[in-house]
Amino acid sequence: MNRSGVVEMDGGEGAERSAPASLADLAYRRLEEAIVTLSLRPGAILTEAQMIGLVALGRTPVREALIRLAQQGLVEILPRKGIAITDINAIDVMAALDAREVLERLIASEAARRAGPGERIAILAKARAMRQAAEGGDVDAYMRLDKEFDALIAAAARSPYAVRAAEPLQALIRRAWYFFERQDDLVPAAGYHVALAQALASGQPEAALEACDALMRHLRAGLLATLGRE
């Protein structure tokens, strides 16, 4: 990536106006995916113009997306220098997993209680699509489905504060999964997601908690095993 550009994050025509939510959200999703999948490598420094070109959207939605990404720790805005893609380190990953485990238990139990029939069907269908992508070796499709799976459970949980706290942690763990090259884990991980989806579909909070714990243990064991080889 080009490290020589300069970005100005203040001022400029239209800077006081907010982008339509849909455009800002779209810019965020595109940039987050590029960061998580390592298309934007850890440590790279880009200009605002490069970010705009990457997502093919205007300056205002991109700036709003960058602010959100900075709040989540995925980028650092460097005045008059550029936007730095944050590095990945093992300590941060394991600390994020510690916090995520607590939040995921709350979200899973609430989703098991509160999900409607249509939501339960959608969650199970998404997990099965993850398994299909895993069996086909389609890493990027699997990770997009994983994000959508989390979003479905979050919506069913009706717990917005927990969800907002969990989202950046989920992104960090996905990013670590790519960084530490955990592609061999696709099929086993998909199985744990299907088990969680089945528990949620059954409407049994205790079963959902057990399945959630099993998935988190699997993630932790896989990351620890990978870190041990580094």
Side-chain angles (χ1 to χ4, degrees), residues 11 20 77 99 127 147 157 186 188 213:
I77 298 170
K147 183 176 176 62
L186 278 181
D213 288 344

Side-chain angles (χ1 to χ4, degrees), residues 94-104 169 220:
M94 300 314 295
L97 190 55
D98 288 341
R100 183 180 172 185
E101 285 178 350
V102 176
L103 292 165
E104 293 286 4
L169 303 174
R220 181 178 293 278

